Amino acid sequence: MRQKLDCLIVGAGAAGMMCAIEAARRGRSVLLVDHAQAPGEKIRISGGGRCNFTNLRTAPENFLSANPRFCISALRRYTQRDFIALVERHGIAYHEKTLGQLFCDDSSKQIVEMLTTELREAGARLELSTSVESVVRLGSGFRVGLSSGTVEAASLVIASGGKSIPKMGATGFAYDIAERFGIKVIPTRPGLVPLTFDPDTLERLKPLSGISVEAEVACGKTRFAEGLLFTHRGLSGPSILQISSYWRDGEEIRVDLARGGDAAEMLLKAKSDSPRQAVHTALSGILPKRLAAAIAEETGTLRPLGDTGDKALRVLGERVNRWRVKPAGSEGYRTAEVTLGGIDTGALDQKTMEAKAVPGLYFIGEAVDVTGWLGGYNFQWAWSSGWSAGQAV
């Protein structure tokens, strides 16, 4: 059976649901499909089950793209305040955790329920466990073969996301569609992902697994000051996830494990005040004990402060405040929260998200070469880009 409608949206995630809601509100006949058994699966698992649904500080500078200005239009037309207002209309309680990050007080399922309610009230249809089997360009519109039948739609919106977290069904579908229609795809890589060490470094640092510390992590001119976690594979925690989006293979990262504290000055003062104190004991005043002991052993400063030269203490302080390490790689798409790269923004209209060379074809959300920082920014891009396309289809 062949259906004719105004808009077919592929991908019932954050961006796809927002687009479907807005298009249906404008009177369009809308079908939203997804191969998953439930909508909004990434929403459901996000934020430890509480969904970091946006960030109060959302601004263009919080996003990476080959064209940093592309995201400006969508973010200005549908802001974090607009989405917060939607959340409040549905009576969902939320709180600011840190750095402008907003989380549900209760469960991320509330955001999914809010969106599915909006879909239903707007009149959009949702079909789950439905895959796309073919896409053909018509004179004006598209014929799409679905596992449930054939659809002819004036507009086709691709909201199928990127490659991150493949166990949840993530694929490169959006990139395949883009390439089929001659639209450039910026090479993709995992973003917001833990970094890994080579075997030698891992063996040396394995005893530190499980230790967390507030740190400042830098790569090039970019730096983030948040939590850092030593793992059995390498490094994780918010600061590492953030810097991973800027780090490239072969580069080193710089880590201040004392974040704002001058370790050398602290040790020299402790030497003057308590010369019989062990170096690692003094260092544990600004670092977790296990980490302090490991660094003291690594630098060979195991004697009392009074028996340790000032130069050795300064070397130790340098190791704490300016640790340089070269990751071997990342954990990849398996644990990456987002996909960097994607549909080239130069091929899209920044106001509508429509492909310039293929009228009626739209790309939104994570599939596009716009990637936010950790902390709710990527959800806001999904809401904003989905809303923008929903005004145009």
Side-chain angles (χ1 to χ4, degrees):
M1 180 178 178
R2 182 170 298 173
Q3 304 178 57
K4 288 192 175 183
L5 43 87
D6 295 320
C7 180
L8 173 65
I9 302 170
V10 180
M17 285 194 280
M18 178 60 79
C19 182
I21 291 165
E22 291 302 316
R25 280 177 176 166
R26 295 174 50 246
R28 301 295 190 263
S29 54
V30 177
L31 174 62
L32 173 64
V33 301
D34 199 299
H35 63 235
Q37 296 179 356
E41 283 294 86
K42 266 197 169 182
I43 298 174
R44 182 182 59 79
I45 68 167
S46 68
R50 291 193 172 181
C51 188
N52 179 191
F53 57 81
T54 192
N55 195 296
L56 293 171
R57 303 182 184 182
T58 299
E61 55 265 30
N62 304 125
F63 295 84
L64 294 80
S65 173
N67 176 10
R69 296 187 60 81
F70 179 83
C71 64
I72 294 175
S73 176
L75 293 175
R76 285 182 176 172
R77 295 173 67 221
Y78 190 85
T79 71
Q80 59 270 41
R81 296 292 178 186
D82 292 318
F83 192 77
I84 292 168
L86 177 60
V87 169
E88 291 176 345
R89 284 202 302 274
H90 282 259
I92 299 173
Y94 64 89
H95 61 278
E96 179 182 355
K97 187 174 181 181
T98 183
L99 301 173
Q101 302 171 28
L102 299 187
F103 289 77
C104 297
D105 284 357
D106 185 13
S107 169
S108 56
K109 293 178 182 178
Q110 292 176 291
I111 299 295
V112 178
E113 290 168 1
M114 174 189 79
L115 294 168
T116 54
T117 296
E118 290 281 327
L119 280 172
R120 185 170 57 254
E121 292 180 350
R125 288 170 45 221
L126 172 63
E127 282 190 14
L128 299 169
S129 301
T130 301
S131 58
V132 175
E133 298 178 345
S134 64
V135 177
V136 177
R137 182 87 166 99
L138 301 177
S140 59
F142 301 86
R143 180 184 299 120
V144 181
L146 302 174
S147 56
S148 59
T150 301
V151 170
E152 289 186 3
S155 298
L156 174 61
V157 182
I158 307 300
S160 55
K163 298 179 179 179
S164 58
I165 319 183
K167 69 179 181 181
M168 297 194 68
T171 69
F173 175 80
Y175 316 133
D176 294 339
I177 293 294
E179 290 172 348
R180 187 179 308 175
F181 287 99
I183 297 170
K184 181 181 176 183
V185 176
I186 303 296
T188 62
R189 57 193 176 92
L192 300 181
V193 62
L195 299 177
T196 58
F197 290 145
D198 62 82
D200 289 343
T201 305
L202 193 59
E203 184 64 29
R204 181 164 51 88
L205 298 176
K206 188 181 295 183
L208 302 179
S209 180
I211 292 176
S212 62
V213 63
E214 288 298 308
E216 183 178 86
V217 181
C219 183
K221 296 181 179 179
T222 304
R223 62 188 63 242
F224 292 95
E226 294 185 65
L228 176 147
L229 174 68
F230 289 87
T231 74
H232 64 289
R233 292 191 181 94
L235 296 174
S236 188
S239 63
I240 293 297
L241 298 185
Q242 295 279 39
I243 210 67
S244 72
S245 294
Y246 294 84
W247 174 82
R248 298 294 186 117
D249 285 343
E251 294 181 337
E252 68 174 17
I253 59 174
R254 305 182 304 281
V255 183
D256 179 358
L257 293 167
R259 190 176 161 184
D262 189 320
E265 287 302 313
M266 183 278 295
L267 289 168
L268 291 170
K269 184 177 186 306
K271 177 180 178 178
S272 174
D273 295 342
S274 307
R276 299 185 66 179
Q277 187 179 43
V279 171
H280 70 271
T281 301
L283 194 56
S284 66
I286 57 173
L287 296 178
K289 289 181 179 179
R290 206 150 45 98
L291 179 57
I295 294 176
E297 182 176 357
E298 178 188 321
T299 55
T301 48
L302 298 173
R303 296 178 295 177
L305 287 163
D307 297 334
T308 305
D310 289 359
K311 182 178 180 181
L313 293 178
R314 289 194 176 93
V315 169
L316 176 56
E318 182 78 7
R319 169 65 174 79
V320 172
N321 290 128
R322 281 169 285 278
W323 177 36
R324 294 174 178 270
V325 63
K326 185 180 291 186
S330 78
E331 292 190 5
Y333 292 114
R334 181 180 64 83
T335 59
E337 296 199 16
V338 292
T339 303
L340 291 154
I343 311 303
D344 184 5
T345 58
L348 306 178
D349 183 295
Q350 64 179 358
K351 185 176 180 180
T352 65
M353 312 301 293
E354 184 177 25
K356 296 174 183 177
V358 189
L361 179 62
Y362 299 75
F363 294 89
I364 57 176
E366 187 182 350
V368 180
D369 176 33
V370 175
T371 305
W373 289 1
L374 182 73
Y377 297 104
N378 287 293
F379 273 130
Q380 187 56 49
W381 170 245
W383 315 134
S384 296
S385 61
W387 184 93
S388 296
Q391 309 309 307
V393 295

